[in-house]
Amino acid sequence: MSFSEASLQKKFAELTNTQQSVQTLSLWLIHHRKNSNIIVSTWFKELTGNVKPDRKLTLLYLANDILQNSRKKGNEYMKEFSNIMQDAIEDIAKYSDDKTRFTVERILNIWKDRKIYPDEQIEKFRQKLHSTKSLISPEKSPTGSRQDKVKLSLREEVQKELVENAAISVPEAADLAKLLQELESSASSDALVRQKIATLPHKVTDVEELKKLKDRNEALELSKLADDASNLLNNYNLRLQQELLSRKQTAVKLASFIRDQNFEIEKDEKLILEWQEKIKQVNLVKKELQNHLESLPDLTSIEEAAELAPLPSAGDLFSN
């Protein structure tokens, strides 16, 4: 789609708080970076024209993705966002709760680590974030304490990680395949241990069994069984926690790999379109050349004319 203010407004209206939506719009905006002045101005209007914290965060995620991925192609966006980012953060802070401020703080830390802006400028952003009083009370906060207790799913955590950190390294296909194979032998797939846990003696899983103890020997025997069961469960729980961490790391790498492949596909599709256009131009030149050749005189008739007897000269005409 070619760039126009109408198409830009439509793109912003279609933006949602998902990794794919943010990245798709980011790519389109980076492609049209020569219009960065209009784009950033429209972004700021979208930000200040909405009081919902979630919407403001989505727009900040978009700015973050643009800033991190456009640096290699030019500094247009870094300059444009630099002019309005302090006011933008102030606006976000006005309609934020502690959770929103924490997210903004995290993005500022990413910018500092990635050297998006100088440290002193990021410190000004941070001071503006914490010095601006929120207009939203905890009771009215759309992302209040009740939602804070909701744990994100693995998919949501991965999407959030990719949106907030666009500089995640892309793994090689072979390394990714190895990680996926390792997950096949993870703790949750250990049928032997799961069977041991499922068949633990009833006396170590029911506190009522304590009332049935008759002497010290039975108590010692139960204590040993309980210790063995506890060690089994603790070790398995630790393995499950390690597996959860590995799955999240693998999921992030897999999502990063898919994102990179989507970028490559988009580049290839653009390249295909460019070459198709070149082929059209070549075919057009070929057709024009063919028409030109057909308009040239017939060489056969010229050769026949060359074989005719030469015309008499002036001397031959008056010699008689």
Side-chain angles (χ1 to χ4, degrees):
M1 181 185 291
S2 60
F3 181 86
S4 67
E5 290 195 39
S7 63
L8 179 62
Q9 292 285 355
K10 185 174 183 293
K11 290 285 187 180
F12 273 115
E14 295 172 345
L15 176 65
T16 62
N17 189 20
T18 65
Q19 172 200 345
Q20 183 177 3
S21 180
V22 170
Q23 290 178 351
T24 299
L25 180 53
S26 174
L27 282 172
W28 188 80
L29 295 177
I30 291 173
H31 178 70
H32 294 288
R33 59 189 178 278
K34 65 180 181 180
N35 301 291
S36 59
N37 188 303
I38 297 174
I39 290 170
V40 174
S41 176
T42 304
W43 177 90
F44 187 69
K45 290 178 181 177
E46 288 284 327
L47 181 80
T48 55
N50 197 309
V51 298
K52 295 181 179 179
D54 288 346
R55 182 62 177 175
K56 292 181 182 294
L57 275 182
T58 299
L59 289 166
L60 186 60
Y61 289 152
L62 175 64
N64 173 57
D65 199 277
I66 292 172
L67 287 169
Q68 292 200 54
N69 288 299
S70 65
R71 288 191 297 172
K72 294 181 180 179
K73 298 183 179 181
N75 61 354
E76 299 94 340
Y77 279 113
M78 293 181 67
K79 290 181 179 179
E80 294 296 337
F81 275 116
S82 176
N83 296 331
I84 53 89
M85 188 54 70
Q86 189 160 327
D87 292 336
I89 290 177
E90 181 180 10
D91 180 78
I92 295 172
K94 286 181 181 177
Y95 301 93
S96 66
D97 53 14
D98 290 341
K99 184 177 180 180
T100 303
R101 288 172 184 263
F102 176 80
T103 302
V104 177
E105 179 77 34
R106 184 177 178 184
I107 292 176
L108 292 179
N109 288 335
I110 291 174
W111 290 356
K112 183 177 181 179
D113 293 340
R114 306 296 177 190
K115 305 298 181 183
I116 301 296
Y117 289 115
D119 290 354
E120 58 271 17
Q121 189 170 8
I122 291 178
E123 186 58 33
K124 289 181 180 179
F125 295 162
R126 184 176 284 109
Q127 290 176 0
K128 181 64 67 174
L129 172 67
H130 295 295
S131 64
T132 303
K133 184 177 180 181
S134 177
L135 301 178
I136 300 179
S137 62
E139 294 80 12
K140 297 180 180 179
S141 173
T143 56
S145 59
R146 183 177 179 183
Q147 288 192 2
D148 289 347
K149 296 179 181 178
V150 178
K151 186 175 179 62
L152 294 177
S153 67
L154 178 59
R155 181 187 296 274
E156 291 170 334
E157 287 185 9
V158 169
Q159 289 180 344
K160 184 177 179 182
E161 181 74 19
L162 287 177
V163 168
E164 294 179 357
N165 188 1
I168 295 175
S169 60
V170 180
E172 297 292 334
D175 295 335
L176 189 58
K178 184 178 179 181
L179 289 173
L180 293 172
Q181 288 176 348
E182 289 175 353
L183 288 178
E184 294 181 358
S185 58
S186 56
S188 60
S189 302
D190 193 335
L192 181 60
V193 174
R194 290 165 66 98
Q195 179 64 23
K196 288 181 179 179
I197 294 174
T199 57
L200 283 173
H202 181 68
K203 60 177 66 177
V204 299
T205 60
D206 186 0
V207 294
E208 293 296 324
E209 292 293 323
L210 294 174
K211 299 177 181 179
K212 300 178 182 180
L213 295 176
K214 298 178 181 179
D215 53 38
R216 177 182 174 80
N217 290 333
E218 287 187 0
L220 291 175
E221 181 183 354
L222 180 59
S223 176
K224 184 178 184 308
L225 289 174
D227 287 342
D228 292 342
S230 177
N231 290 333
L232 177 65
L233 291 170
N234 286 335
N235 290 334
Y236 189 62
N237 185 55
L238 178 60
R239 289 177 60 197
L240 287 173
Q241 291 177 357
Q242 292 172 340
E243 178 188 343
L244 181 60
L245 179 60
S246 297
R247 285 189 180 278
K248 180 180 177 181
Q249 293 173 344
T250 302
V252 171
K253 291 181 180 180
L254 180 59
S256 175
F257 181 82
I258 293 174
R259 179 179 66 180
D260 183 70
Q261 291 302 305
N262 287 333
F263 289 165
E264 293 299 322
I265 289 173
E266 183 172 349
K267 287 169 54 180
D268 290 345
E269 288 175 345
K270 289 180 180 178
L271 189 60
I272 289 172
L273 291 176
E274 291 176 3
W275 280 104
Q276 286 177 341
E277 187 62 31
K278 289 182 179 180
I279 290 173
K280 289 181 181 179
Q281 294 175 357
V282 170
N283 288 336
L284 182 60
V285 172
K286 182 179 178 181
K287 184 177 180 180
E288 291 179 354
L289 178 60
Q290 185 64 34
N291 292 336
H292 180 69
L293 289 174
E294 292 176 355
S295 66
L296 292 176
D298 188 356
L299 295 179
T300 304
S301 61
I302 295 178
E303 292 175 354
E304 291 177 352
E307 294 176 356
L308 296 177
L311 294 174
S313 64
D316 293 335
L317 290 173
F318 297 99
S319 62
N320 296 326

